[in-house]
Amino acid sequence: MSHQSDRSHHNWVQSQNPPKPVLKLQQQLQKEPTFYYFAYGSCMCPVDLKRSLGESTHPYIIGPAILKNYRLGFYSYSPTRHCGVLDVLPDPNASVKGVLYQLPWRLSAYLDKREGVSQSLYRRETVDIHCENQVYTAARTYIVVNKLAEELAPNDWYFNVVLRGAVTCGLPEEYCWNLFDHMYKLQQRHQQQQIMRTAEQVLS
């Protein structure tokens, strides 16, 4: 079942006695429409997400969360980041960890723009998210529309933003290490492919 967020118990984001600006924000969220958003890539980093949404997103974090029956993969090329970027694919034997936000609806269009919805890079997907012993139904995440045949390595910038978001937002250490290992191996494979192409050009 769906649960509306009781933001007062999210001690991971804020203290028992939130400062006045945070308290004011909580009161504002109660007065305006909101939506739940599950981030698993660069948007896990609230600093990076702020660039697109135009305001601090840290206060909107509910906490670390899990998307079940999906797995991560770098099956998209980002024309703005110039590298492979993350996607989630259905997989009954896997799960994806990330961050659950409760965002004001007024930020919805900015998030769609960041994810390239109008260019058919990503599309919205409605999913169930497990967070803090609750299930948030009808949460939003984004899935790549036209997937690549094989994974494409991230560049160093994207690598660092994703990892920083995972660590900063409190994802399990083992998950962070596995994410690091996955991205590192993709980069190593990319470098080896470049060396092989260069060698072939020299020999030809």
Side-chain angles (χ1 to χ4, degrees):
M1 61 180 175
S2 178
H3 294 264
Q4 292 300 316
S5 174
D6 177 7
R7 303 190 69 83
S8 63
H9 75 280
H10 300 317
N11 297 331
W12 175 75
V13 179
Q14 60 209 40
S15 64
Q16 292 284 351
N17 299 306
K20 289 183 179 180
V22 174
L23 184 60
K24 183 177 180 181
L25 178 61
Q26 293 173 6
Q27 294 170 345
Q28 180 181 341
L29 281 177
Q30 292 174 359
K31 297 178 182 178
E32 64 178 313
T34 62
F35 66 98
Y36 294 114
Y37 165 55
F38 176 73
Y40 56 84
S42 60
C43 288
M44 289 191 295
C45 177
V47 176
D48 192 60
L49 187 56
K50 179 183 178 181
R51 293 189 307 105
S52 302
L53 303 189
E55 62 182 83
S56 175
T57 56
H58 225 112
Y60 300 136
I61 295 173
I62 295 178
I66 301 174
L67 170 63
K68 296 184 178 181
N69 300 318
Y70 284 84
R71 64 180 173 87
L72 282 177
F74 285 81
Y75 290 98
S76 179
Y77 172 79
S78 170
T80 55
R81 303 181 190 273
H82 307 291
C83 69
V85 291
L86 278 167
D87 180 24
V88 289
L89 302 88
D91 185 336
N93 301 312
S95 63
V96 175
K97 292 182 173 61
V99 178
L100 182 64
Y101 292 87
Q102 184 182 7
L103 297 174
W105 189 261
R106 56 187 163 79
L107 299 180
S108 176
Y110 295 104
L111 190 58
D112 281 352
K113 182 178 180 180
R114 176 189 172 99
E115 299 298 335
V117 172
S118 63
Q119 291 83 37
S120 295
L121 298 178
Y122 285 83
R123 61 174 174 81
R124 294 184 188 179
E125 183 79 359
T126 301
V127 292
D128 293 342
I129 298 297
H130 298 255
C131 179
E132 299 186 343
N133 298 317
Q134 298 187 35
V135 178
Y136 292 79
T137 61
R140 182 193 306 185
T141 195
Y142 291 85
I143 293 181
V144 170
V145 176
N146 298 308
K147 302 180 189 300
L148 300 174
E150 64 177 24
E151 290 186 278
L152 183 64
N155 59 23
D156 289 343
W157 185 89
Y158 189 80
F159 187 121
N160 291 329
V161 169
V162 169
L163 197 60
R164 183 169 66 243
V167 172
T168 301
C169 291
L171 298 194
E173 183 177 347
E174 182 180 3
Y175 187 84
C176 293
W177 275 113
N178 288 338
L179 184 58
F180 172 91
D181 186 62
H182 188 175
M183 294 190 290
Y184 177 76
K185 287 179 178 177
L186 285 176
Q187 286 191 333
Q188 291 295 105
R189 188 186 71 181
H190 177 69
Q191 292 175 3
Q192 292 173 357
Q193 291 173 340
Q194 284 187 316
I195 292 172
M196 291 295 294
R197 282 195 293 266
T198 301
E200 290 173 357
Q201 290 174 356
V202 171
L203 291 175
S204 63

